[in-house]
Amino acid sequence: MSFLPTTSKEVSALGWDYIDVIVFTGDAYIDHPAFGAAVIARVMEAEGLRVAVVPQPNWRDDLRDFRKLGAPRMFFAVTAGAMDSMVNHYTAAKRLRSDDAYSIDGKAGFRPDRATDVYCRILKDIYPDVPIVIGGIEASQRRFTHYDYWEDTLRKSILVTSGADLLICGMGEKPLQELVHRLKNGDNFYSIKDLNQTAYLSDIKAVDIELASHEQCLASKRAEAENFKIFETESNKYAPSAVLGQQVDGKMVICNPTYPPITTEELDYIYDLPYTRLPHPRYKGKRIPAYDMIKYSITIHRGCFGGCSFCTISAHQGKFIVSRSVDSIMKEVHKILQDTDFKGYISDLGGPSANMYGLTGKNHDACKKCDKPSCLHPKICPNMSRDHSALIDLYRMVRNTEGIKKATIGSGIRYDLATEEYIEEVLRFHVSGRLKVAPEHTSGQVLTLMRKPDFSNFIKFDSLFNEINAKYALKEQLIPYFISSHPGCSAADMAEMAAITKNMNFRLEQVQDFTPTPMTLSTEMYYTGFNPYTMEKVKCARTVEQKKEQRSFFFWYKPEERRNIIRKLKEIGRADLIDKIYN
């Protein structure tokens, strides 16, 4: 196995006199299937193309990183990386982060704000005649008019702001393969307009469903909310057929329907490609934190049917679960075992959610007709199987493999979906001291807006957790995740959370302030002030002071917060909670 070239010297060493596709990415180059740039590069290589990767090009100097490999024969492929670059750079309080897990030594400053836009503009300036294909989470979630938290305004489609020629939406392997096939067969790049799961700008305005224009959305928050409902509904269909369009600047952003979910065989093929599973040698002696976290992790499925309002996973990967075969997963286990640095500990066997492997609707035809965003909210769909036996068998097979000392479950567990047998298996064999789950809040109305289960489900889970701990004399610790300042959440809701969790003997530490990210339901509620599905008004904490105030309730146990919290409880008419929090 060898790395794809990143420099002209490496290209020459391969004896290449041309390159078909050059991938520009905002992340360091790690040839591991957990990193999107590596996956799309390997997929194109498997199609017989000569592919090079330019990781984290310097956009500040004479732009030599953009010139060093020249022009590719087919196109440039551009991605901001595994995260939206603005989420990567800024906290919920809009403060600049001092670190970047996807860069060498965790240092910030190796990628620009709005990396997709910046890279594309530079490439278009230098190579105006070479097509640019964009993809990844930043491009995918900005395909139409979207609210940008950092500018506090609506931004146009990224196709407009970047100047890219084609946008691949969601998980891009299948549309990318089809694009390559057509180009190899002689199709002109700019003539390819019917490729599923892609978007592009056009002068032609004939579409199946026309969204409110960018200009209409600027004038009406209700129009923006209605757009989101249409977009999310279409995104959650098994095999959508409608072409969506949105006018902007006299042109039309045209977005073709997505492919149906890929098959297990297709997913196995992607994970069986010849990844080295290592950072490129250019980083020798350097540490990349994101790699440290996933070095010995294994992704066992794709997709999530939870449909949480604040999450982009279902929008990007789809709500239908595609699971890898046991053979493919075990092949990866044995590949890890060959690593001389491996000490016997697998850090994760999971995916977007830990316990959705192998789960699907009992009646597949019913699933194919369903366009609901969540299979778990407001209650678990009666058609959804909760049979965790295949996953439990997989866990047992992995942990009984010679050379494996322990395989922990690092992905989040949907405790409302999990069976008692599954939880017992995880606690006994697959937790290293702490089990993390995400109830997110205690308030019923906030949880409804989040599309999360009622808090009573977490109370039952906590009780089960303690029973299993006692039964097997374990010392595992339960670590719940919570969010403040989510749309619909008030200071009183946070005060209730403090009292309830304190009564359950939790001192919260895994917490975060809600950050609006492009094209999620929570973000639409934050920007428009409406629930797009009901058009009911939703109050939101918007100012720095309001957000800080809500966040302070997480840390009621810190002496420096006590005086302010007592003052606020009196101010909001909840002095009854003072004794519950402070005895």
Side-chain angles (χ1 to χ4, degrees):
M1 294 184 293
S2 60
F3 291 89
L4 299 172
T6 64
T7 65
S8 55
K9 184 178 180 180
E10 292 169 16
V11 171
S12 298
L14 293 170
W16 293 0
D17 55 357
Y18 66 86
I19 303 172
D20 290 305
V21 177
I22 302 175
V23 179
F24 281 82
T25 173
D27 292 340
Y29 174 31
I30 300 172
D31 189 32
H32 188 289
F35 294 84
V39 173
I40 63 168
R42 289 296 185 186
V43 166
M44 290 188 289
E45 179 193 44
E47 296 298 324
L49 301 190
R50 294 180 176 181
V51 183
V53 178
V54 180
Q56 300 189 316
N58 190 337
W59 74 99
R60 296 186 179 101
D61 60 5
D62 59 2
L63 308 181
R64 67 187 69 181
D65 284 345
F66 293 88
R67 293 187 170 95
K68 64 183 180 183
L69 299 182
R73 291 205 313 173
M74 286 186 173
F75 55 85
F76 289 111
V78 174
T79 174
M83 294 177 65
D84 182 287
S85 58
M86 300 303 285
V87 178
N88 178 279
H89 280 177
Y90 298 95
T91 68
K94 301 185 181 180
R95 295 193 183 96
L96 190 64
R97 299 184 192 273
S98 58
D99 59 350
D100 182 344
Y102 295 88
S103 297
I104 55 173
D105 295 329
K107 295 178 181 177
F110 286 94
R111 84 183 82 217
D113 286 357
R114 311 191 190 285
T116 304
D117 285 1
V118 173
Y119 295 162
C120 288
R121 289 195 209 108
I122 292 171
L123 290 170
K124 273 299 179 186
D125 186 54
I126 300 172
Y127 308 102
D129 299 323
V130 180
I132 298 177
V133 179
I134 57 176
I137 194 76
E138 179 166 284
S140 184
Q141 295 302 107
R142 295 174 181 266
R143 69 191 82 166
F144 292 119
T145 293
H146 55 277
Y147 174 68
D148 186 272
Y149 175 63
W150 300 273
E151 287 186 355
D152 191 26
T153 189
L154 291 184
R155 281 179 65 90
K156 300 173 183 177
S157 165
I158 198 169
L159 284 163
V160 176
T161 57
S162 70
D165 300 288
L166 191 70
L167 189 163
I168 290 182
C169 310
M171 305 301 278
E173 299 95 347
K174 198 158 186 174
L176 196 59
Q177 288 172 319
E178 181 61 24
L179 175 64
V180 169
H181 291 168
R182 293 199 190 183
L183 294 175
K184 289 172 72 174
N185 288 335
D187 287 10
N188 178 276
F189 182 97
Y190 298 102
S191 70
I192 300 173
K193 303 296 185 185
D194 60 342
L195 182 59
N196 277 20
Q197 222 162 298
T198 62
Y200 59 93
L201 272 177
S202 176
D203 292 322
I204 299 172
K205 299 178 181 178
V207 294
D208 298 317
I209 299 175
E210 184 170 348
L211 304 174
S213 70
H214 176 73
E215 292 74 18
Q216 287 174 316
C217 290
L218 286 175
S220 168
K221 290 185 176 181
R222 186 175 289 270
E224 170 64 18
E226 290 170 347
N227 269 7
F228 176 80
K229 181 181 177 182
I230 294 169
F231 166 76
E232 188 179 50
T233 300
E234 289 298 311
S235 298
N236 282 304
K237 292 181 178 178
Y238 182 87
S241 58
V243 176
L244 303 183
Q246 182 184 40
Q247 292 194 51
V248 54
D249 294 347
K251 291 183 177 291
M252 181 76 84
V253 174
I254 294 180
C255 187
N256 292 320
T258 59
Y259 285 102
I262 62 175
T263 64
T264 290
E265 292 73 24
E266 288 171 324
L267 190 58
D268 285 353
Y269 169 81
I270 291 165
Y271 279 90
D272 291 347
L273 292 171
Y275 307 98
T276 64
R277 298 182 64 87
L278 297 168
H280 190 275
R282 66 194 284 151
Y283 307 119
K284 187 176 181 180
K286 304 289 185 181
R287 174 177 170 266
I288 302 171
Y291 174 66
D292 292 343
M293 290 186 285
I294 57 83
K295 184 177 182 179
Y296 299 127
S297 70
I298 298 176
T299 300
I300 61 176
H301 76 271
R302 177 179 289 184
C304 179
F305 50 75
C308 299
S309 300
F310 48 82
C311 184
T312 61
I313 290 173
S314 60
H316 192 68
Q317 294 195 14
K319 75 173 183 180
F320 296 94
I321 303 302
V322 183
S323 300
R324 292 171 65 186
S325 69
V326 172
D327 286 346
S328 176
I329 294 167
M330 293 309 298
K331 189 185 296 183
E332 189 168 355
V333 170
H334 288 291
K335 189 179 290 186
I336 289 174
L337 284 167
Q338 294 168 19
D339 187 329
T340 55
D341 293 330
F342 181 61
K343 305 301 182 185
Y345 298 94
I346 291 177
S347 59
D348 189 24
L349 286 170
S353 288
N355 57 318
M356 290 186 182
Y357 178 84
L359 298 190
T360 184
K362 301 167 191 173
N363 181 338
H364 289 234
D365 290 335
C367 289
K368 291 178 180 180
K369 297 174 184 176
C370 177
D371 60 8
K372 292 181 179 178
S374 173
C375 304
L376 302 180
H377 189 269
K379 61 182 180 179
I380 297 175
C381 175
N383 188 43
M384 175 54 63
S385 168
R386 294 181 61 191
D387 183 2
H388 284 52
S389 58
L391 183 54
I392 292 171
D393 289 344
L394 175 64
Y395 287 173
R396 291 171 179 170
M397 186 178 296
V398 172
R399 74 168 181 262
N400 290 328
T401 300
E402 186 177 353
I404 301 297
K405 296 178 182 177
K406 187 152 191 158
T408 55
I409 307 306
S411 300
I413 290 173
R414 284 296 303 231
Y415 56 84
D416 54 328
L417 179 68
T419 62
E420 184 172 339
E421 180 189 11
Y422 172 79
I423 296 301
E424 187 166 311
E425 189 82 10
V426 169
L427 287 184
R428 290 183 67 192
F429 303 108
H430 299 284
V431 178
S432 291
R434 308 177 107 201
L435 178 66
K436 298 176 182 178
V437 295
E440 308 294 11
H441 217 287
T442 58
S443 163
Q445 65 172 9
V446 177
L447 288 167
T448 295
L449 291 172
M450 289 179 166
R451 291 185 185 144
K452 296 288 288 185
D454 189 83
F455 193 68
S456 59
N457 288 269
F458 178 73
I459 294 174
K460 293 176 184 176
F461 175 76
D462 180 54
S463 177
L464 176 62
F465 178 91
N466 292 328
E467 286 177 16
I468 296 171
N469 246 347
K471 180 179 179 181
Y472 294 100
L474 303 173
K475 296 181 180 179
E476 310 297 357
Q477 185 181 7
L478 186 60
I479 306 296
Y481 280 71
F482 286 90
I483 293 178
S484 60
S485 300
H486 186 276
C489 179
S490 66
D493 294 320
M494 294 301 297
E496 289 275 8
M497 179 196 293
I500 292 169
T501 55
K502 189 255 186 179
N503 187 55
M504 295 177 73
N505 297 316
F506 287 113
R507 290 197 173 196
L508 305 183
E509 53 182 77
Q510 296 293 337
V511 299
Q512 62 178 318
D513 195 17
F514 168 66
T515 302
T517 55
M519 297 190 81
T520 68
L521 174 60
S522 298
T523 297
E524 295 299 319
M525 289 190 286
Y526 177 88
Y527 168 69
T528 66
F530 297 109
N531 180 338
Y533 285 84
T534 64
M535 284 302 167
E536 294 175 349
K537 290 185 177 181
V538 179
K539 292 183 178 180
C540 301
R542 297 185 180 278
T543 68
V544 172
E545 292 74 20
Q546 289 171 335
K547 289 174 174 287
K548 186 176 179 181
E549 179 181 86
Q550 287 205 16
R551 185 177 175 83
S552 69
F553 283 101
F554 285 138
F555 308 110
W556 58 267
Y557 53 86
K558 293 185 176 182
E560 63 269 26
E561 297 290 355
R562 179 170 179 147
R563 178 180 294 179
N564 286 335
I565 287 177
I566 290 175
R567 175 189 57 78
K568 187 61 185 177
L569 289 172
K570 292 177 179 177
E571 190 178 295
I572 62 175
R574 293 307 310 268
D576 59 300
L577 293 176
I578 295 174
D579 283 344
K580 292 182 179 180
I581 296 175
Y582 294 111
N583 296 325

